[in-house]
Structure formats: C-alpha cells, structure tokens
Amino acid sequence: MTTTENDINAASVPAPGIRPRPVVDRLPRYAAGKPPVVIEGLESYKLSSNENPFPPLPSVLEAISAHPNVNRYPDPLATALRTELASFLDVPAEDIVTGAGSLGALNQLLATFTGQNEDGVQDEVVYPWRSFEAYPISVGLSGARDVQVPLRSDGHHDLDAMAAAVTHRTKMVLLCTPNNPTGPVLTRDEVEGFLAKVPEDVIVVIDEAYEDFVRDPGAVNGVDVYRRHQNVVVLRTFSKGAGLAGLRVGYSISHPHLTQYLRVAAVPFAVSQIAEQAAVASLRHHSELVERIQALVAERTRVVGGLKALGWDIPQAEGNFVWLALGENTPEFAVLAEQQALSVRAFGTEGVRVTIGEAEANSRFLALCATYTKGPRVS
C-alpha cells in the first residue's frame, strides 16, 4: 500500500488534547530539494539537493557488498571509521564522534551543550542567515534561542556583527564554510580574528560539509583551528565529496573535555555497518575520490566562468553549487528551470541555489541563464 501526501498530512493532525511542544509550531519546515519534472524529449536533472552526481567509487561499492550482516547492530562507537579518520586527519581517535551526517553530529552537539539552564533561561546560539536551513530547526528543538545574524550583501558571514551578537547567554556559534546556500568561504585570518573576540567558554562550530570542494588557498581549515583552540568543534561529512548522502555518515572533531559529554548524547548506532565500511573505503581510496571531486570543481569553474561571461554577478562559489540572488524573481526562475527539466532549490524571494551536476545539466542551466534577463548583473 502506498502512503500518499494526504495520508501524511492527516496523520500529522494531533488528536484532541495532544499537542507538541510549543516550539514545534514556531519552527520552519525543512524543504528538501524536489526531484525534476519529466519533460518529453529532455533528460531530467536534479540540481536542488547538492548531491554528488557520481555514484560511490567501485571499491566503495565492493566494500558495501562485502558486509551484508545488517541483522546485527553496528559498533556504537564506529571504531573502525574513527581509527581510519584519526590516521587520515592526524588527530586522536578519541576526539572524533560520529553521527548521521554532519547534521546528526550537529544535533548531538546542540543536545549536549544548549537548551535551558537550571533557572529556565534559554541559552543562545548565534549563526549567520541565510545559511543551512536546518539550523533554526535544530536550535529550536534543542530548547535554545537562535540569534540570526544577516549575511553581508556579498553572501559572506558578517563576523563583526556575529561577534557583537555574543552575550553572556551565548553557548554556541555556528560558522558555515563554504556557506550553504551562498557559497563563500571564511579565511584563516577571519576565523582567528573572530575567535579572539569570543569568550573561551563559548563553543564555536566550524561546519565544513563542503570542504572537499574548496580551492581558495586562503580558506580556513577547521582541523587546523581545532588544534589551536579548545572551544572549537569541526563538523564534516561523507555525504558530499564522497557521494554517500544516502548512507548518512558524518562526524565532529573536538577536544576531550567536550567529547566526554558529547558521547553521552550521541545517538547509539547512528552510523550503520554499511555506512561505516563505505566511509572507511572512501578514505582508503581517497586519491581516486579526489579525481572525481576535481571533475566537479572543473565543472564549477566552467559554470562560474559562463555566468560571469553572461554578465551575472554571483558570490564566491567554493561548494558544489552556485547562488543566484534573484530576489522577487526567484519563483519565476525556478519555474523556467522546471520547464527545462531542471530542478533547482528556490529560497522564497531571496535566491536560487543550483547544484553543480552532470555536464549536460550544467550546460542547460547556462543556456537558461543566457536567455534570462532579470538576474543580478555586474554593474
């Protein structure tokens, strides 16, 4: 029997007298990227979810098929993966806590360190906006109060404003680099300058979900920063560069005075045996993976160059996507893309995020931008 959207909506209506926590009614809904519509005569492409268009490496698929014992629980500590990551990143395995993607790792951090204090006062979590759309949901569910600091006009974090937003109630700050959905990275000097302004008892999370695609030589490396600062936590994932989005495997890196508590709140068995083996194989065949990632970076360079040649003004693109600040024209552009069998991610009336996909998809996207006259232009 197939569950329809109406069934889901009906099931979501609470029974009389049964209500969720008040915060749930105030939270935005997470909007996953929609699949492309079918247009006769055109191959459809999904450019709305920042997925890697390439499948996992053959060696990774082989590793998955060699571990079929899904009737057994996985290792709750993901020891094999943490050991492999420790060698790959040159960090202690004890400093790594795995989770269901980088979002799962973030939720564990929020559950451990934020919420309401003993007096019932909400902690505060400061983060840039617009940024990863799960941030307000995750912060709200943790019981903390979110403090959103608007991005600069060029899509970068406004770190001065974020530092000014830190108060005695602030327990955590989220930095997203490259920023999703706009694309710019934070530099080493920017992050070090920011940390100098933030109290050492405030946790600063460097969310590097797209670090595999970064080519800016001045970009911050979260692992280097964590080595120098006891209050820094790094988030990374195998969803993007490694192409394991469907397996949900990510991790955080932080010092023992944080991980000792973080392991208590970590979701048991969040990383399956299949996900763990796939991640381990991806690390062991990293040189092959880099070739695939570089192919996507080359396509990103082509798309960015094509947009600039057309006169489009776009932010720095260091993830596997580009951002079009279309404002009120956002819905119209998304519809036009749909008519070309391309699904893109529209954010209200702010802009459109377009994933770097297959070469044909990218070329079709550029062709659409060549005919669209309402986009942000270079002055």
Side-chain angles (χ1 to χ4, degrees):
M1 184 173 69
T2 302
T3 301
T4 66
E5 187 171 339
N6 287 336
D7 294 329
I8 294 172
N9 290 336
S12 67
V13 177
I18 300 176
R19 297 294 304 166
R21 292 165 52 204
V23 68
V24 174
D25 286 334
R26 301 192 297 269
L27 294 177
R29 299 289 194 271
Y30 184 85
K34 295 181 179 180
V37 299
V38 176
I39 303 294
E40 186 176 353
L42 288 176
E43 184 174 355
S44 298
Y45 294 101
K46 186 182 179 186
L47 305 180
S48 56
S49 294
N50 288 351
E51 296 157 328
N52 191 322
F54 300 124
L57 295 169
S59 52
V60 174
L61 294 175
E62 182 179 345
I64 291 173
S65 65
H67 292 81
N69 297 324
V70 294
N71 58 308
R72 303 296 184 184
Y73 285 110
D75 172 7
L77 297 178
T79 304
L81 175 56
R82 289 170 49 246
T83 300
E84 199 71 32
L85 278 168
S87 175
F88 183 79
L89 298 171
D90 191 24
V91 302
E94 293 73 19
D95 288 4
I96 301 169
V97 179
T98 55
S102 56
L103 177 56
L106 172 61
N107 286 336
Q108 293 170 174
L109 278 165
L110 290 166
T112 305
F113 296 107
T114 71
Q116 294 185 352
N117 62 31
E118 295 178 353
D119 298 325
V121 178
Q122 284 182 295
D123 297 324
E124 293 179 346
V125 179
V126 177
Y127 57 86
W129 197 251
R130 170 161 303 268
S131 193
F132 182 31
E133 64 181 308
Y135 287 165
I137 302 171
S138 295
V139 172
L141 288 175
S142 77
R145 174 178 174 268
D146 61 347
V147 179
Q148 299 179 356
V149 179
L151 297 172
R152 296 179 350 206
S153 60
D154 59 2
H156 284 74
H157 290 43
D158 188 338
L159 290 179
D160 289 338
M162 290 183 69
V166 173
T167 71
H168 67 282
R169 294 183 180 176
T170 305
K171 292 295 290 290
M172 190 175 294
V173 177
L174 309 180
L175 304 179
C176 186
T177 177
N179 187 56
N180 173 22
T182 57
V185 290
L186 295 170
T187 68
R188 290 185 296 268
D189 292 344
E190 286 174 334
V191 172
E192 289 292 345
F194 176 77
L195 288 167
K197 300 175 184 177
V198 175
E200 293 182 356
D201 61 350
V202 173
I203 296 173
V204 177
V205 178
I206 303 178
D207 186 346
E208 293 187 311
Y210 298 92
E211 58 90 20
D212 286 315
F213 303 100
V214 174
R215 295 296 181 270
D216 184 337
V220 69
N221 181 298
V223 176
D224 290 343
V225 180
Y226 130 88
R227 290 191 173 103
R228 294 192 294 271
H229 296 273
Q230 294 289 312
N231 62 328
V232 166
V233 180
V234 181
L235 298 179
R236 290 189 176 179
T237 182
F238 288 85
S239 295
K240 308 302 181 182
L244 303 182
L247 291 181
R248 312 307 304 129
V249 53
Y251 56 97
S252 63
I253 309 172
S254 57
H255 293 278
H257 67 280
L258 299 178
T259 58
Q260 65 176 317
Y261 303 114
L262 188 54
R263 293 195 196 284
V264 176
V267 177
F269 313 120
V271 177
S272 70
Q273 302 104 314
I274 293 175
E276 182 176 17
Q277 291 302 322
V280 168
S282 296
L283 292 170
R284 291 177 178 173
H285 297 86
H286 188 254
S287 59
E288 298 173 49
L289 199 58
V290 167
E291 293 180 12
R292 290 192 171 188
I293 294 170
Q294 189 56 40
L296 284 175
V297 171
E299 274 296 289
R300 182 186 70 195
T301 300
R302 181 172 76 90
V303 170
V304 169
L307 288 170
K308 291 183 177 180
L310 292 169
W312 284 70
D313 184 14
I314 63 170
Q316 178 191 27
E318 288 290 335
N320 67 334
F321 54 88
V322 293
W323 172 253
L324 309 181
L326 288 160
E328 64 182 12
N329 297 313
T330 296
E332 177 187 62
F333 185 91
V335 170
L336 291 174
E338 187 177 83
Q339 293 171 355
Q340 294 296 316
L342 301 174
S343 66
V344 298
R345 181 67 175 88
F347 291 84
T349 56
E350 296 176 61
V352 171
R353 187 195 67 197
V354 184
T355 305
I356 302 300
E358 296 86 343
E360 169 57 29
N362 301 330
S363 295
R364 195 182 303 168
F365 164 62
L366 286 173
L368 172 59
C369 291
T371 62
Y372 192 74
T373 60
K374 301 177 185 177
R377 303 291 170 174
V378 177
S379 58

